[in-house]
Amino acid sequence: MMLCECKTGVNMTKISIKDLLDAGIHFGHRKNRWNPKMSEYIFGHRNGIHIIDLQKTVIYFNEALKVIKDYASNGKNILFIGTKRQASEIIEKYALDCNQYFINKRWLGGMLTNWDTIQNSIKRLKKIEDILENKINSYTKKEILRFENSAQKLDKALGGIKNMVGKPDILFIIDTNKEILAVKEANKIGIPIVAVIDSNSDPEGIDFPIPGNDDAIRSIEYYCNTISETIKSSSKNKEDNLGSSDVS
């Protein structure tokens, strides 16, 4: 059994082929749905289903974790993206767990390339939230209802990034086919991408690919949990180091 360890200070994130198998990460799509650009990541096929080479997944996942560790250690913004039904709640859960940011409902066109407009929408969301929180009496019930509806729509689209200062420094994406707009925008302005790439994905434009199943809930949970734990460990080590510096 291959075991690969990603050093994150004192703690170690261990990725084993057994864990990947248990999470169903080796299952790709049917042979007729594959993207030939994924050939180097394919081990073979079974019953018409492509099987992903998990030895390569271990290596590439480990490389991706090292990058995530470096970004987290330097206090960078890491944006989790996964808007498909089975990824949505998991993306939100683990992004919040490591104090990072997420988009889990819908990618708005221009979210990266038209950042000023997105910032204006976030300011509007915060202003409306302030109105609703303070129950300002100068507004009628009808106006308050309208504010509540607006806040709900804006929060659905932007709630996961409303407290992010500046653009994201790196993206972590589940399903690059589904999130193709995010990939294109990040590529256009030079934001690096860590992403899970399934047998039907296009690996081009992905800086740090993780070959694996991007549909199964248990697979998505494994990726997100591992990324989140790496970020938390890196952040904790940074705080410990700062504390040691203060003492010295």
Side-chain angles (χ1 to χ4, degrees):
M1 178 179 68
M2 176 177 285
L3 183 68
C4 198
E5 297 182 342
C6 175
K7 296 186 178 181
T8 54
V10 177
N11 299 317
M12 307 285 280
T13 299
K14 297 181 180 180
I15 301 172
S16 71
I17 286 183
K18 180 182 183 303
D19 289 339
L20 298 179
L21 284 168
D22 289 344
I25 287 170
H26 56 300
F27 291 117
H29 289 270
R30 291 195 172 277
K31 289 170 58 181
N32 62 357
R33 291 187 57 196
W34 84 312
N35 187 322
K37 294 178 184 178
M38 287 293 295
S39 59
E40 67 175 288
Y41 306 108
I42 303 297
F43 175 79
H45 58 85
R46 185 186 307 156
N47 300 324
I49 303 293
H50 270 127
I51 303 299
I52 291 165
D53 188 340
L54 292 185
Q55 291 196 19
K56 290 189 175 179
T57 301
V58 169
I59 293 169
Y60 281 100
F61 201 171
N62 188 53
E63 290 178 356
L65 289 176
K66 288 178 181 176
V67 172
I68 291 291
K69 167 187 172 281
D70 288 341
Y71 274 78
S73 296
N74 288 292
K76 301 297 186 179
N77 295 330
I78 301 170
L79 181 60
F80 288 54
I81 303 171
T83 62
K84 65 200 297 181
R85 176 185 51 79
Q86 60 267 52
S88 180
E89 290 185 6
I90 299 172
I91 284 286
E92 179 177 359
K93 172 185 173 182
Y94 286 102
L96 291 174
D97 191 47
C98 61
N99 294 315
Q100 290 294 339
Y101 311 97
F102 64 92
I103 296 293
N104 71 329
K105 298 300 182 184
R106 183 167 71 93
W107 183 267
L108 300 178
M111 191 165 280
L112 297 179
T113 54
N114 195 5
W115 185 248
D116 288 343
T117 298
I118 296 300
Q119 284 294 96
N120 288 335
S121 295
I122 290 174
K123 288 177 183 176
R124 172 167 168 73
L125 171 59
K126 290 183 175 180
K127 181 178 180 181
I128 293 173
E129 288 179 334
D130 184 61
I131 290 172
L132 294 173
E133 183 178 350
N134 292 300
K135 306 290 184 184
I136 297 175
N137 295 325
S138 57
Y139 294 102
T140 65
K141 288 183 178 180
K142 186 176 180 180
E143 287 173 325
I144 291 295
L145 180 60
R146 189 164 64 246
F147 284 138
E148 288 174 346
N149 290 335
S150 296
Q152 187 175 23
K153 290 178 182 178
L154 286 169
D155 188 69
K156 187 175 181 179
L158 303 171
I161 61 170
K162 67 180 180 181
N163 295 319
M164 184 169 65
V165 179
K167 293 180 183 179
D169 296 295
I170 189 168
L171 309 184
F172 166 57
I173 298 177
I174 299 290
D175 195 339
T176 55
N177 289 338
K178 174 73 172 175
E179 313 304 341
I180 187 62
L181 287 178
V183 172
K184 288 181 177 179
E185 289 190 32
N187 287 165
K188 185 174 183 178
I189 62 176
I191 295 177
I193 300 172
V194 171
V196 177
I197 51 171
D198 209 328
S199 63
N200 66 338
S201 301
D202 184 349
E204 291 186 5
I206 307 305
D207 304 276
F208 306 100
I210 303 171
N213 185 331
D214 66 8
D215 292 305
I217 289 175
R218 58 182 176 168
S219 300
I220 296 169
E221 183 107 23
Y222 183 85
Y223 304 127
C224 292
N225 179 58
T226 305
I227 295 283
S228 179
E229 287 300 316
T230 296
I231 293 170
K232 288 194 294 183
S233 178
S234 301
S235 300
K236 183 178 185 302
N237 290 328
K238 179 184 177 184
E239 291 173 2
D240 290 344
N241 290 335
L242 287 173
S244 299
S245 299
D246 291 340
V247 172
S248 61

